[in-house]
Amino acid sequence: MVFSPKVYTLLCGCFAALGSILYGYDLGVIASVLASPDFLTTTGDPNETYTGFITSSMLLGAFCGSLPASLIADKFSRRAAITVGAGIFVVGGALQTAAQNRGMMLGGRFVAGFAIGMLMMLAPLYQSEIAHPSIRGRLTTLEQLFLGVGSFIAGWIGYGLTKNNYGSVAQWRIPLGLQITPAIPLLLLTFLLPESPRWLCIVGREEEALHTLARLHARGDVNDAFVQGEFAEMKLKVREEAEAQSSWMQIAKNTENLRKILLGIILQFSVQMTGVSFIQYYSVTIYDAVGYSSATTLLLQSINNVLAILAQLACVIWVDKTGRRLPLIAGNIVSGLCFIPVTVIQKQFLANKGSARQAQGFVAAAWIYNIAFSACIGPLSWAYPVEIMNTAIRAKGTAITSMACWISNFMIGQVSPIAFSSVGWRYFLVFVICCFSNALVIYLLFPETKGRTLEEMDEYFANTHWIVPLSHYKGVAAGERERELARGELPIHPHGSSRVQDVEKGGDKYLEDRTEQV
């Protein structure tokens, strides 16, 4: 193999993340589509409520697509589910591009959204299951990076067509048609990717799982010490889970699994309550309130998308060193601070007291907010939920937390145009308050997961207090678990007993022999 194992695994993760481009593209393109006079004529000059539903119908489709994706992924494999999602998106994109009326547009957006819901849940699921523990954060945060790439591409396409083809049919049909492009390789080439070794293991194809692990992590060497250690840990955990109840029952009756689902839901709702989708979907309306034209707004948002990509790239590079808790807490605090001047400036302009300098300050605050969100919040909202679940519930648990993302996003998309029209600048106060409350909730409830294997998460959570500051746990270095696995030291024992205990819960230490091997 030409590439090192980690580079090869990263490239596989990048290919799976192509589905994220579809969602990012939609986020970036919808503002320019809604600003097109020909689009508004075609859809019957919709009022604010209907405009919100045109935006939100995609999110409703994504909500509906998450759970079927988990069922397909568990039954037929992760790769098969990704392929199905890509095929559905092609149909939805074609319906939007050819739309002749409201019904056709809404139908196309729902179908495309159904596919986006599938792909946005499946990409981090697949990435987490093929990753080395030391780079799992890097792989799963690719979701947001590729989302940013999609938004960047859509922003510049929307700006160019609005500037040069304003009022024509091309202003909105071309950008909607181009969204199909990333789905084509996913539809045709996903079968070339290695299958998830954890899925292979849980369906009983252990020999194939071992060879896939070797392909991903050791250039095909099934005798590699790290691969053998990783495979032993994986088999141990999967067999333990196979003795338990069905995955749905494990979610419903297991307190720690319910805790994980709850954390994922809280995290996804918290992301939307930072105001990110409000700014993204209704940027033309928001910037118009401070004196910017539609074309200028799309230019500013296109530059903003460049900043977002750089911030997301920084997250991908550093997340396995910084961990998850610190960026999430810091990002929400910075976002809240940025919304304060944004709120004040909006108030000034709505009172006809705004100035050009204040408008520039509004743009600067919005850009800083976007950098904080893109570097600290957005990427981890996809990475954290998928890595805390065990293999038996990972697909279904991630589907539930993804549904929380889409329903909260749907709520913001539907409510925002009405709320902003009704209460103006006061609507921004919601996001100021929520950003700071998000930081507090994450500090209190979210354990750090950096460096740990997927298989040890159950014991780690079981031994970590629900109020995280009451636990005293030792962090895990990025490559520590890989070195231990290569030495044959497994982080777990049968029936949930831990070899390595890094947590002191409620003042009682759980100590185990660090040198015992399985």
Side-chain angles (χ1 to χ4, degrees):
M1 186 185 296
V2 175
F3 302 108
S4 70
K6 288 187 177 181
V7 171
Y8 174 66
T9 304
L10 187 68
L11 291 174
C12 291
C14 286
F15 187 87
L18 284 176
S20 309
I21 291 181
L22 303 176
Y23 179 39
Y25 189 94
D26 182 89
L27 286 173
V29 81
I30 193 63
S32 62
V33 169
L34 292 175
S36 168
D38 187 76
F39 172 81
L40 296 175
T41 300
T42 301
T43 53
D45 292 317
N47 57 26
E48 290 173 346
T49 301
Y50 211 88
T51 298
F53 197 68
I54 288 174
T55 300
S56 302
S57 57
M58 183 276 289
L59 303 170
L60 191 59
F63 175 83
C64 295
S66 297
L67 193 56
S70 73
L71 301 178
I72 297 171
D74 278 345
K75 180 69 175 177
F76 299 105
S77 84
R78 295 4 181 178
R79 292 186 306 180
I82 291 173
T83 302
V84 170
I88 293 173
F89 187 84
V90 171
V91 175
L95 286 172
Q96 291 179 76
T97 305
Q100 301 299 313
N101 50 52
R102 285 186 188 182
M104 195 170 177
M105 173 57 63
L106 287 174
R109 285 190 62 74
F110 181 87
V111 172
F114 191 96
I116 287 173
M118 293 182 67
L119 295 169
M120 289 296 288
M121 172 242 151
L122 292 166
L125 173 69
Y126 175 78
Q127 291 161 341
S128 70
E129 293 185 342
I130 67 171
H132 299 69
S134 64
I135 63 167
R136 188 177 60 247
R138 186 171 298 176
L139 256 71
T140 51
T141 53
L142 286 171
E143 176 110 286
Q144 190 75 19
L145 174 62
F146 276 66
L147 188 155
V149 170
S151 187
F152 167 79
I153 293 170
W156 285 105
I157 289 173
Y159 170 69
L161 288 168
T162 298
K163 186 174 179 61
N164 299 304
N165 298 89
Y166 186 77
S168 73
V169 67
Q171 183 185 355
W172 65 277
R173 291 199 190 271
I174 289 178
L176 288 178
L178 289 175
Q179 71 181 321
I180 298 172
T181 306
I184 302 299
L186 277 176
L187 176 63
L188 300 178
L189 301 176
T190 296
F191 72 94
L192 296 176
L193 295 176
E195 187 50 83
S196 161
R198 287 172 171 85
W199 179 82
L200 291 170
C201 205
I202 207 166
V203 297
R205 294 157 62 178
E206 292 186 355
E207 188 66 23
E208 193 176 345
L210 174 60
H211 283 277
T212 302
L213 267 180
R215 176 183 172 187
L216 286 164
H217 295 170
R219 292 191 171 95
D221 181 7
V222 295
N223 296 313
D224 178 81
F226 169 57
V227 168
Q228 286 292 327
E230 194 176 18
F231 184 58
E233 182 193 32
M234 190 184 305
K235 284 197 302 181
L236 187 64
K237 186 62 179 175
V238 165
R239 288 173 181 174
E240 179 184 317
E241 291 167 0
E243 296 172 0
Q245 298 166 306
S246 71
S247 55
W248 287 117
M249 294 303 292
Q250 286 188 51
I251 292 173
K253 293 190 174 182
N254 185 295
T255 304
E256 290 304 324
N257 286 339
L258 284 174
R259 175 190 180 187
K260 293 174 184 178
I261 298 292
L262 181 61
L263 290 178
I265 291 172
I266 290 171
L267 182 59
Q268 293 292 7
F269 265 89
S270 76
V271 169
Q272 294 308 315
M273 297 316 296
T274 63
V276 61
S277 293
F278 169 53
I279 293 176
Q280 190 78 283
Y281 288 141
Y282 302 108
S283 57
V284 173
T285 302
I286 295 167
Y287 279 77
D288 178 68
V290 294
Y292 290 105
S293 67
S294 295
T296 302
T297 296
L298 294 174
L299 174 61
L300 293 172
Q301 283 296 84
S302 297
I303 297 171
N304 203 14
N305 289 335
V306 176
L307 299 176
I309 290 176
L310 295 175
Q312 289 153 4
L313 183 60
C315 179
V316 170
I317 293 171
W318 293 104
V319 67
D320 288 307
K321 293 181 173 62
T322 62
R324 285 50 159 167
R325 273 171 58 85
L326 179 60
L328 282 169
I329 294 168
N332 274 284
I333 291 173
V334 173
S335 296
L337 292 173
C338 289
F339 258 108
I340 293 173
V342 164
T343 304
V344 172
I345 293 169
Q346 278 280 338
K347 180 182 179 182
Q348 289 293 100
F349 271 90
L350 290 175
N352 296 317
K353 297 178 181 178
S355 65
R357 188 172 294 276
Q358 287 177 330
Q360 293 167 2
F362 179 91
V363 172
W367 283 1
I368 295 170
Y369 160 82
N370 188 44
I371 291 170
F373 178 89
S374 299
C376 302
I377 302 172
L380 291 170
S381 69
W382 301 106
Y384 192 87
V386 76
E387 69 181 359
I388 63 178
M389 311 287 180
N390 63 47
T391 302
I393 71 163
R394 187 170 297 116
K396 295 179 178 68
T398 305
I400 293 170
T401 60
S402 296
M403 290 167 74
C405 164
W406 303 121
I407 201 65
S408 58
N409 207 322
F410 176 84
M411 175 191 71
I412 293 295
Q414 193 66 24
V415 167
S416 290
I418 302 170
F420 188 59
S421 176
S422 300
V423 300
W425 64 270
R426 294 175 183 84
Y427 187 49
F428 287 87
L429 292 174
V430 174
F431 304 120
V432 174
I433 295 167
C434 286
C435 284
F436 291 120
S437 63
N438 289 347
L440 178 61
V441 169
I442 291 165
Y443 170 74
L444 292 175
L445 301 182
F446 284 68
E448 180 56 71
T449 56
K450 180 190 74 172
R452 300 182 185 275
T453 67
L454 294 177
E455 283 68 31
E456 73 175 291
M457 290 297 179
D458 278 355
E459 284 111 0
Y460 173 56
F461 270 76
N463 295 321
T464 304
H465 202 287
W466 280 57
I467 306 299
V468 174
L470 298 181
S471 298
H472 305 287
Y473 59 87
K474 188 183 74 174
V476 177
E480 182 177 341
R481 290 296 188 253
E482 291 173 22
R483 291 189 292 271
E484 291 175 347
L485 287 168
R487 295 195 298 267
E489 301 172 7
L490 305 191
I492 62 171
H493 265 179
H495 310 298
S497 60
S498 264
R499 173 192 63 79
V500 181
Q501 189 51 258
D502 301 311
V503 182
E504 180 184 344
K505 179 181 179 181
D508 296 322
K509 287 200 173 186
Y510 298 75
L511 298 176
E512 298 286 347
D513 181 10
R514 291 184 60 90
T515 61
E516 184 180 352
Q517 297 183 7
V518 176

